[in-house]
Amino acid sequence: MMNDSEGSEYDRLFYPFLFEGGKASIEDVLAQVRHSTLEKCREVIELRRATLEHSGEKIVEAGRAMARAFAAGATLLAFGNGGSTTDAQDMVAELLNPPRYPPFAGWSPLPAIALTNDIAVVTAVGNDVGFDNVFARQVIAYGRRGDIALGISTSGNSTNVLVALEQAKKQGLLTVGLTGYNGGKMMHSRAVDFCINSPSDHIPRIQEAQATTYHALLEVIQGAINQAPMNEERET
């Protein structure tokens, strides 16, 4: 149990039984947990709907543009910080090793690199040049005209993500950004071809919506690639 000086307002709102000095019964605890879980589910659904309403058409447009790039031989470079790092890694894993069971059985492996994976490179650049450049330096090395750069930032203001997207644009890459809050600087950057926003100020909900967004992108990409005209383009 906690005293009233501990924990956040969020803790007291969703877990009030932790602040009752051991007086809560097991039934009360389970009722509070159930309420908390249902409330989180409601928030998740609402933000996913808001993302669809705000950026649904943009998700489809971005996915089709990415599919055309992949068909022309592109590699995707994904990056982000913290939880966005794991999202970048997850998207790359889904591209390199797509599910093999229905309804994904026809999905094709596609080339992708998570710029968060090589800790030696990240720490070397961070130490020698500065953390703002940990992704941009890799974009310089790996990026080729026609490739895809996908940056994830819950705030839209992560400097190293913005710098990498700007560098990618200079090198002729297709640039895609995933943001939260009001989109931040990324939403207004001319270096970002497609900026998909999940409008919320609650980071866990933003990251859940962003995970849904990049999985939707994957479905659009694979659906477009598996169409006959796209397959013919890849073979030429």
Side-chain angles (χ1 to χ4, degrees):
M1 294 293 176
M2 299 181 181
N3 59 48
D4 289 338
S5 65
E6 297 176 310
S8 65
E9 289 187 19
Y10 184 85
D11 293 327
R12 284 188 284 275
L13 175 63
F14 287 103
Y15 307 105
F17 53 85
L18 294 177
F19 300 87
E20 295 175 358
K23 297 178 181 178
S25 68
I26 186 63
E27 289 79 12
D28 291 337
V29 171
L30 292 175
Q32 292 288 349
V33 170
R34 181 177 185 276
H35 169 76
S36 173
T37 301
L38 292 175
E39 184 63 17
K40 290 174 183 176
C41 291
R42 182 190 63 77
E43 291 178 357
V44 170
I45 292 169
E46 285 185 359
L47 184 54
R48 285 172 173 168
R49 285 175 175 165
T51 302
L52 178 62
E53 292 173 3
H54 187 270
S55 300
E57 292 183 5
K58 194 173 292 186
I59 291 171
V60 174
E61 291 175 12
R64 288 174 175 169
M66 294 166 77
R68 290 192 293 272
F70 277 123
T75 295
L76 181 137
L77 311 178
F79 43 92
N81 300 292
S84 299
T85 293
T86 60
D87 284 337
Q89 292 169 327
D90 182 50
M91 184 171 188
V92 167
E94 297 277 12
L95 285 165
L96 294 173
N97 185 37
R100 294 298 185 184
Y101 51 84
F104 313 108
W107 284 23
S108 305
L110 296 170
I113 303 171
L115 302 187
T116 60
N117 282 359
D118 193 332
I119 196 63
V121 170
V122 170
T123 54
V125 176
N127 183 65
D128 299 342
V129 184
F131 192 70
D132 290 351
N133 296 285
V134 292
F135 302 135
R137 282 299 180 97
Q138 295 184 76
V139 169
I140 292 171
Y142 291 127
R144 299 292 181 267
R145 180 171 295 276
D147 283 345
I148 306 163
L150 185 137
I152 308 173
S153 169
T154 55
S155 67
N157 295 320
S158 302
T159 301
N160 57 1
V161 173
L162 293 169
V163 170
L165 289 169
E166 289 166 3
Q167 182 62 43
K169 189 65 175 177
K170 290 178 184 176
Q171 293 178 213
L173 279 71
L174 174 69
T175 53
V176 180
L178 306 186
T179 69
Y181 291 84
N182 64 357
K185 295 177 181 178
M186 189 186 291
M187 180 64 73
H188 304 288
S189 173
R190 295 182 179 180
V192 183
D193 296 316
F194 298 97
C195 186
I196 301 167
N197 181 236
S198 297
S200 172
D201 59 2
H202 190 185
I203 291 175
R205 300 295 88 82
I206 292 170
Q207 291 179 321
E208 289 157 356
Q210 288 178 331
T212 299
T213 296
Y214 68 74
H215 280 98
L217 284 172
L218 289 170
E219 291 200 38
V220 176
I221 291 165
Q222 292 286 355
I225 285 177
N226 283 320
Q227 291 176 359
M230 185 66 69
N231 286 333
E232 291 172 4
E233 184 179 344
R234 295 182 79 197
E235 292 171 0
T236 60

